[in-house]
């Protein structure tokens, strides 16, 4: 007879909006074991599996900390209540939690107040007591800054009874194998029930298998990043989709196979899980409303099963280039790659080029390296990195510009350069190889260029210099690492593309706040990658300065924005990198 051997959840902490998919191991009558579902429509020897989900509402109600959502709250911020912010953001678990989060927390207050107050009087009434971050906080949780939360004193939800068991009320919330928690579930335990049922009598056979989760927590949400104009205008706030402008997003989303507790032990395990991160990443990407999206570290199966179909719902067409597999030892489905998406309403696909640096390495060694050294050379150069180059045709034009009969094309390169720090020659060679390929495309058409990605190269490095200024100083220290002689002569390390880093615009024209988040020596962000072991800039968006101008940029984060003692990934930000976004305007083309 059909029987259930084991039931468990990948994570016992459920999050609002993140699907719970239990692992159910069953034994068939022929003694074979599988995880395949047995629905009522396809019974096995007269039996099928029935699933139910329950929300368990105890008579004791619980509020959840907004900073540490796996902890119960003990105090509530009165400023949030008066500012009419979402109630979930007002709770904290300890006075120290409240104090540590205050700078980030106050931003929420100020933004809410600025939206409703014009003379500032009400704002002063709300915030006047909050100027001293730590003073007034005490273990009694009874002060002007925060009031004590008496868990169990005030019901968070109206009472309604479906089934009672002692001091608990069980609400049936689902009848499928999977369940996605809702806001109504916050603070409550969920129960999953799996039982074998007789097809004829519809009666359970044997004991039901059940699992209890931890209390459902709200999905943490960071403060939205604003779009900042760099054209001497005020805060843009939203993308301009008028004629001639378009926006580009570049984002390393952190491949799931790399998101391990060994590497990111400071991030809660539930926040590292793919079911949580994928929803958080999708929400972030969609909210940016970019016309072109360049993602790196997209796992192959996640592209096919998640990113492509989900972004298709939002009007994006998808293209993908998987890393080659000579070095990778895992499943082909877990190999990551570069994915480029574009809005079908704004662009159409013209052509795609795929760059495999492994093939370029083979050609290079065949031409330049003696036979005795080829194996050593290939071991150094073959690293599976790729680039995806897409030529798009805009469905919009430049208002007031004579473009009759001319197509507005855009070439977008998306790449992820080798990560190994010691292989400085390989990084530079990969970037140089990509740029030479782009030069050929530029020579064949009058076309603006965008070069996006994770270059694993800090500002001032040789790859960054080659991209930003078109050449590498012969005395650059990175050139000292060249055991294969592939960088010689150094005079060949040039290109003719008029590339400029988009975020360098903040150093020229930008708010003082944003200028503080830019390195004055390199004009690049202080960081785009922030872990416990490294903080620095590795990601860039370069553009053709002769045919495009930067209109606005997504604001940069500072360490205060990430909250005290926080590295990435975190519950709020689901990658160890931050997203970069630039809005461009096509320059008028002169009739020849």
């Amino acid at each position: 007879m059909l029987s259930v051997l084991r039931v468990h959840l990948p994570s016992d902490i459920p999050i609002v909006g993140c699907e719970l998919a239990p692992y159910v191991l069953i034994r068939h009558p022929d003694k074979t074991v599988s995880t395949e579902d047995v629905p009522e429509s396809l019974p096995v020897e007269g039996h099928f599996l029935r699933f139910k989900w329950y929300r368990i509402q105890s008579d004791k109600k619980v509020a959840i900390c907004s900073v540490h959502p796996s902890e119960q709250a003990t105090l509530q911020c009165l400023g949030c209540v008066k500012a009419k912010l979402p109630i979930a953001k007002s709770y904290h678990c300890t006075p120290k939690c409240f104090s540590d989060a205050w700078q980030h927390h106050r931003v929420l207050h100020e933004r809410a107040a600025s939206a409703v107050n014009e003379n500032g009087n009400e704002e002063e009434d709300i915030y006047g007591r909050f100027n001293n971050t730590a003073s007034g906080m005490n273990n009694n949780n009874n002060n002007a800054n925060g009031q004590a939360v008496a868990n169990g004193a005030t019901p968070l939800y109206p009472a309604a009874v479906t089934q009672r068991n002692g001091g608990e009320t069980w609400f049936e919330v689902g009848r499928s194998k999977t369940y996605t928690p809702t806001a109504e579930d916050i603070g409550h335990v969920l129960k999953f029930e799996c039982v074998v049922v007789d097809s004829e009598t519809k009666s359970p056979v044997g004991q039901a298998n059940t699992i209890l989760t931890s209390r459902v927590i709200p999905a943490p949400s960071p403060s939205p990043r604003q779009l900042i104009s760099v054209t001497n205008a005020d805060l843009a706030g939203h993308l301009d989709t008028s004629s001639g402008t378009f926006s580009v997003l570049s984002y390393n989303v952190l491949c799931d196979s790399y998101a391990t507790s060994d590497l990111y032990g400071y991030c809660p395990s539930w926040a590292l899980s793919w079911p949580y991160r994928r929803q958080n990443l999708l929400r972030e990407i969609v909210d940016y409303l970019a016309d072109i999206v360049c993602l790196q570290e997209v796992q192959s199966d996640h592209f096919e099963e998640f990113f492509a179909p989900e972004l298709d719902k939002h009007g994006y067409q998808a293209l993908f280039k998987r890393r080659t597999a000579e070095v990778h030892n895992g499943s082909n489905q877990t190999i990551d790659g570069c994915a480029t998406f574009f809005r079908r309403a704004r662009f159409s696909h013209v052509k795609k080029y795929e760059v495999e640096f492994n093939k370029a390495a083979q050609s290079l060694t065949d031409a330049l390296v003696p036979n005795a050294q080829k194996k050593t050379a290939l071991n150094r150069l073959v690293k599976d990195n790729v680039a995806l180059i897409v030529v798009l045709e805009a469905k919009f034009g430049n208002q007031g510009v004579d473009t009759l009969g001319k197509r507005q094309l855009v070439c977008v390169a998306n790449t992820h350069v080798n990560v190994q720090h010691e292989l400085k020659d390989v990084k530079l060679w990969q970037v140089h190889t990509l740029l030479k390929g782009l030069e050929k495309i530029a020579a064949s058409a009058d076309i603006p260029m965008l070069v996006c990605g994770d270059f694993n190269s800090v500002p001032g490095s040789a790859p960054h210099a080659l991209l930003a200024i078109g050449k590498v100083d012969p005395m650059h220290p990175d050139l000292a690492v060249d055991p294969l002689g592939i960088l010689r002569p150094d005079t060949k390390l040039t290109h003719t593309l008029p590339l400029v880093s988009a975020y360098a615009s903040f150093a020229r024209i930008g708010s003082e706040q944003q200028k503080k988040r830019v390195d004055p020596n390199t004009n690049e962000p202080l960081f785009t990658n922030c872990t416990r072991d490294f903080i620095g800039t590795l990601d860039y968006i370069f553009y053709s300065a002769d045919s495009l101008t930067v209109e606005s940029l997504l604001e940069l984060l500072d360490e205060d924005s990430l909250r005290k003692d926080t590295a990435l990934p975190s519950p709020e930000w689901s990658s160890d990198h931050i997203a970069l976004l630039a809005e461009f305007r096509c320059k008028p083309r002169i009739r020849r």
Side-chain angles (χ1 to χ4, degrees):
M1 190 183 78
L2 191 70
S3 61
V4 179
L5 298 178
R6 186 185 179 198
V7 177
H8 82 91
L9 287 166
S11 173
D12 67 343
I13 299 180
I15 303 108
V16 171
C18 296
E19 183 183 72
L20 294 170
Y23 173 87
V24 179
L25 186 66
I26 59 175
R27 177 182 284 132
H28 292 262
D30 62 1
K31 305 302 182 183
T32 60
V33 175
S34 77
T35 58
E36 294 181 2
D37 196 5
V38 182
E40 185 175 2
S41 59
L42 295 171
V44 173
E45 294 191 4
H47 296 87
F48 65 92
L49 294 179
R50 185 178 69 195
F51 307 109
K52 286 188 178 182
W53 287 89
Y54 296 92
R55 177 171 69 238
I56 302 176
Q57 291 188 193
S58 171
D59 289 345
K60 180 181 179 181
K61 308 304 177 183
V62 176
I64 304 298
C65 176
S66 62
V67 180
H68 307 98
S70 58
E71 302 293 331
Q72 294 184 19
T74 62
L75 52 89
Q76 185 178 27
C77 173
L78 293 176
C80 284
V81 175
K82 291 184 178 181
K84 298 181 180 180
L85 289 170
I87 197 70
K89 293 184 178 293
S90 67
Y91 293 118
H92 292 270
C93 55
T94 65
K96 185 178 186 302
C97 166
F98 184 89
S99 176
D100 287 349
W102 175 245
Q103 292 302 322
H104 173 86
H105 198 58
R106 187 176 181 181
V107 170
L108 300 179
H109 294 182
E110 291 171 343
R111 287 181 177 174
S114 64
V116 297
N117 298 315
E118 294 185 5
N119 57 18
N121 293 336
E122 183 181 347
E123 183 177 359
E124 183 179 352
D125 177 64
I126 294 176
Y127 307 119
R129 300 188 297 270
F130 290 80
N131 289 331
N132 192 327
T133 302
S135 65
M137 293 303 302
N138 59 58
N139 292 329
N140 294 327
N141 299 334
N142 186 14
N143 52 74
N145 287 357
Q147 68 176 11
V149 173
N151 285 320
T154 306
L156 296 181
Y157 304 101
V161 177
T162 59
Q163 179 182 344
R164 289 190 65 83
N165 181 10
E168 295 178 337
T169 304
W170 294 9
F171 290 82
E172 184 180 317
V173 293
R175 289 197 173 190
S176 63
K177 186 176 180 180
T178 61
Y179 177 68
T180 301
T182 68
E184 291 184 338
D185 299 319
I186 294 174
H188 301 293
V189 171
L190 299 175
K191 182 172 80 168
F192 172 69
E193 179 183 274
C194 173
V195 64
V196 177
V197 176
D198 186 287
S199 297
E200 291 186 5
T201 66
K202 301 296 188 286
S203 299
V205 178
Q207 196 76 14
N209 290 265
T210 62
I211 304 176
L212 294 180
T213 70
S214 299
R215 296 184 186 276
V216 176
I217 64 175
S221 57
S223 298
R225 294 170 64 188
Q226 302 295 315
L227 200 66
I228 308 295
S229 172
V230 291
T231 56
N232 289 322
D234 293 330
L235 181 71
H238 64 277
L239 292 176
D240 176 10
T241 57
S242 63
S243 297
T245 65
F246 65 96
S247 55
V248 180
L249 173 74
S250 184
Y251 197 5
N252 180 326
V253 295
L254 180 59
C255 179
D256 182 47
S257 59
Y258 306 149
T260 65
S261 294
D262 290 340
L263 289 176
Y264 306 105
Y266 50 83
C267 182
S269 58
W270 58 265
L272 273 180
S273 69
W274 180 241
Y276 172 74
R277 289 203 310 117
R278 70 179 184 179
Q279 294 299 333
N280 210 29
L281 288 166
L282 179 65
R283 184 166 48 247
E284 181 186 1
I285 291 167
V286 169
D287 284 350
Y288 289 138
L289 300 174
D291 295 311
I292 301 170
V293 176
C294 296
L295 304 183
Q296 302 86 44
E297 285 195 23
V298 176
Q299 203 163 290
S300 298
D301 54 343
H302 294 164
F303 173 79
E304 296 290 344
E305 298 169 9
F306 181 72
F307 283 111
E310 289 299 321
L311 287 172
D312 176 71
K313 297 174 185 177
H314 294 274
Y316 289 96
Q317 184 171 327
L319 298 163
F320 183 67
K321 175 56 184 173
R322 192 180 72 181
R323 291 176 62 182
T324 42
E326 281 83 348
V327 177
H328 189 86
N329 294 319
S331 161
N332 282 346
Q333 289 301 301
T334 62
I335 298 177
D336 64 289
C338 296
T340 299
F341 305 82
F342 60 90
R343 286 191 183 277
R344 288 185 290 266
R346 303 277 285 159
F347 290 96
S348 58
H349 177 222
V350 176
K351 197 165 186 178
K352 179 177 80 168
Y353 302 88
E354 296 181 348
V355 180
E356 295 184 2
F357 293 113
N358 285 3
K359 288 184 178 179
Q362 185 68 56
S363 299
L364 179 69
T365 53
D366 287 345
L368 299 180
V369 179
N371 288 333
Q373 298 177 16
K374 281 187 178 180
K375 183 176 181 179
T376 300
L378 287 174
N379 284 340
R380 187 172 184 87
L381 292 174
V382 171
K383 299 302 175 189
D384 292 344
N385 300 96
V386 297
L388 175 61
I389 303 173
V390 180
V391 177
L392 304 174
E393 181 177 357
K395 295 182 178 180
F396 52 86
N398 281 337
Q399 192 171 23
V401 177
D402 182 9
T403 57
L404 186 63
K406 291 187 177 180
R407 304 164 70 192
Q408 178 61 69
L409 301 178
V410 178
C411 180
V412 183
N414 179 10
T415 191
H416 190 188
V417 170
N418 184 251
V419 67
Q420 292 170 267
H421 176 71
E422 66 277 9
L423 299 181
K424 299 180 188 298
D425 54 327
V426 178
K427 293 176 191 285
L428 181 55
W429 169 75
Q430 288 183 350
V431 171
H432 182 256
T433 300
L434 173 61
L435 291 171
K436 287 301 171 183
L438 292 175
E439 275 187 330
K440 293 179 182 178
I441 297 173
S444 64
D446 177 16
I447 183 168
M449 291 281 174
L450 291 159
V451 186
C452 309
D454 175 0
F455 293 85
N456 275 308
S457 303
V458 298
S461 64
H464 178 263
L466 183 59
L467 284 158
I469 61 176
K471 61 182 180 180
V472 181
D473 188 324
M475 301 305 294
H476 197 290
D478 285 2
L479 299 184
V481 181
D482 186 20
L484 302 176
I486 59 174
L487 305 180
R488 295 190 287 269
D490 50 55
T491 52
K492 75 177 184 180
L493 297 176
T494 62
H495 69 87
T496 58
L497 302 172
L499 297 179
V500 174
S501 174
Y503 271 79
S505 299
F506 270 151
R508 299 191 303 271
I509 305 172
S511 68
E512 289 303 316
Q513 183 184 41
Q514 292 304 308
K515 286 181 179 179
K516 291 177 181 178
R517 300 174 186 180
V518 172
D519 185 331
N521 296 316
T522 63
N523 292 337
E524 296 288 3
L526 291 176
F527 71 89
T528 63
N529 179 242
C530 179
T531 68
R532 286 283 168 85
D533 300 320
F534 174 83
I535 181 166
T537 292
L538 303 174
D539 309 85
Y540 308 92
I541 298 176
F542 288 93
Y543 69 97
S544 299
D546 64 339
S547 52
L548 298 171
T549 58
V550 180
E551 292 284 299
S552 51
L553 296 166
L554 189 66
E555 70 177 327
L556 295 169
L557 295 178
D558 57 17
E559 292 180 73
D560 288 339
S561 303
L562 302 177
R563 288 203 176 116
K564 187 177 180 181
D565 298 328
T566 299
L568 299 177
S570 69
E572 292 82 8
W573 305 98
S574 287
S575 175
D576 54 345
H577 292 249
I578 65 170
L580 301 179
L581 183 145
E583 184 185 27
F584 296 98
R585 182 176 295 278
C586 300
K587 287 184 177 180
R589 289 183 293 181
I590 301 173
R591 179 185 291 180
R592 298 183 184 279

